[in-house]
Amino acid sequence: MKRFPIVLLITMALLLSAIPASHASTTTVSINKATDSAAVSTVVNSTLNITGSPDVLNALLISNQSITFSVSGNSTTMAGIESSIASLQSGISVSNISLSFNETSINNANKGLIQILYSTGLSMDLKGMVKGKTINMTWRSFNFRGNLTVKGHNANSIGKFGVYFNTEPNFLNFSAFSKSLSNWTSSYISSLNITEFSMSSSANYNSSAGLGLFNLSLYIDPQYVIKAPGYDNASGNSINIGNPPAQKSDLYYGIAAVLIIIVIVLYYYTRFRRR
């Protein structure tokens, strides 16, 4: 086996340090009511742990390496993802797709562990979900199971090890977020006049492979954040856009004005009583 380049070691260390301990995968949807559009940004990070005896793991012939690529405007990719979204909600158009992918293998077979780190990034613009003051978010839980293959590597799968699982994992799987939006955590940000709806989920895949000679474990813990304009509430698949509440400062100014008037009245009343 060739000596592992020090530059690649440093790169992998930086990648590991950049992945937060929780919610390593995040999808953010920013909705623009005026243009009936949404900007979607997704990063799915996960690690496949392969454990077993050193002899078995060395026989897998997994070398230390890092594979990175990015593409944009790919019509085949756009058509596949748009079809997946349309299966849940018609009338949604997809544009400006950008895809990025990194796969980094860290071979510690002599210690009984091989790790393969995956990071899939997807950004796109969607149009066609806003009707008046209602935002239809049925599409949010789309599950794209197609291939996103560039240079022989699929950015939507864990490659050859996927066949060892009962259900082959795919990264662009948001079916867990079909849960009613009324059950998501919501928070109004007055400085931006937006309401954020957020939800966290997790998926843990485990399998024994090679007649039980080695074990596979893959964990994904996605978080989903929807940023909608206004002071909103939600039910089912819909977000209802509302008007921002009265600012507390206005109430405080009103109370202050009343108190000033009371003080003035009491002052002149006291002076009048003394005469």
Side-chain angles (χ1 to χ4, degrees), residues 129-187:
M129 74 285 298
V130 181
K131 301 295 181 183
K133 291 189 174 183
T134 301
I135 304 170
N136 188 341
M137 292 295 298
T138 305
W139 62 268
R140 70 189 181 280
S141 57
F142 76 95
N143 179 9
F144 178 65
R145 299 196 61 86
N147 294 330
L148 297 174
T149 302
V150 178
K151 300 179 181 178
H153 298 278
N154 184 3
N156 195 31
S157 82
I158 61 173
K160 63 181 181 180
F161 291 105
V163 299
Y164 291 113
F165 294 93
N166 292 330
T167 300
E168 186 170 347
N170 61 299
F171 298 129
L172 300 181
N173 180 359
F174 306 104
S175 56
F177 298 100
S178 62
K179 185 178 180 180
S180 173
L181 289 168
S182 61
N183 294 323
W184 290 38
T185 299
S186 63
S187 175

Side-chain angles (χ1 to χ4, degrees), residues 2-189:
K2 296 181 179 179
R3 183 181 297 274
F4 193 31
I6 186 65
V7 174
L8 193 51
L9 278 171
I10 295 173
T11 300
M12 289 193 300
L14 290 173
L15 284 170
L16 284 168
S17 64
I19 299 175
S22 61
H23 304 306
S25 305
T26 301
T27 294
T28 301
V29 178
S30 299
I31 299 168
N32 187 324
K33 178 179 180 293
T35 58
D36 180 18
S37 64
V40 182
S41 176
T42 289
V43 176
V44 181
N45 295 318
S46 61
T47 301
L48 176 66
N49 291 311
I50 308 172
T51 57
S53 70
D55 290 341
V56 170
L57 296 189
N58 279 314
L60 295 177
L61 300 177
I62 298 175
S63 59
N64 291 309
Q65 63 175 343
S66 184
I67 300 162
T68 300
F69 62 79
S70 61
V71 294
S72 60
N74 185 298
S75 59
T76 302
T77 300
M78 186 181 301
I81 293 177
E82 187 165 19
S83 176
S84 179
I85 291 173
S87 68
L88 292 177
Q89 182 177 334
S90 60
I92 300 291
S93 62
V94 182
S95 61
N96 300 324
I97 286 184
S98 292
L99 174 72
S100 63
F101 179 70
N102 177 267
E103 177 184 319
T104 300
S105 302
I106 305 173
N107 190 328
N108 286 308
N110 292 330
K111 296 181 179 180
L113 173 66
I114 295 175
Q115 291 183 304
I116 305 178
L117 285 66
Y118 303 93
S119 179
T120 295
L122 174 70
S123 64
M124 58 184 175
D125 294 330
L126 271 60
K127 192 174 181 65
M129 74 285 298
V130 181
K131 301 295 181 183
K133 291 189 174 183
T134 301
I135 304 170
N136 188 341
M137 292 295 298
T138 305
W139 62 268
R140 70 189 181 280
S141 57
F142 76 95
N143 179 9
F144 178 65
R145 299 196 61 86
N147 294 330
L148 297 174
T149 302
V150 178
K151 300 179 181 178
H153 298 278
N154 184 3
N156 195 31
S157 82
I158 61 173
K160 63 181 181 180
F161 291 105
V163 299
Y164 291 113
F165 294 93
N166 292 330
T167 300
E168 186 170 347
N170 61 299
F171 298 129
L172 300 181
N173 180 359
F174 306 104
S175 56
F177 298 100
S178 62
K179 185 178 180 180
S180 173
L181 289 168
S182 61
N183 294 323
W184 290 38
T185 299
S186 63
S187 175
Y188 177 65
I189 304 174

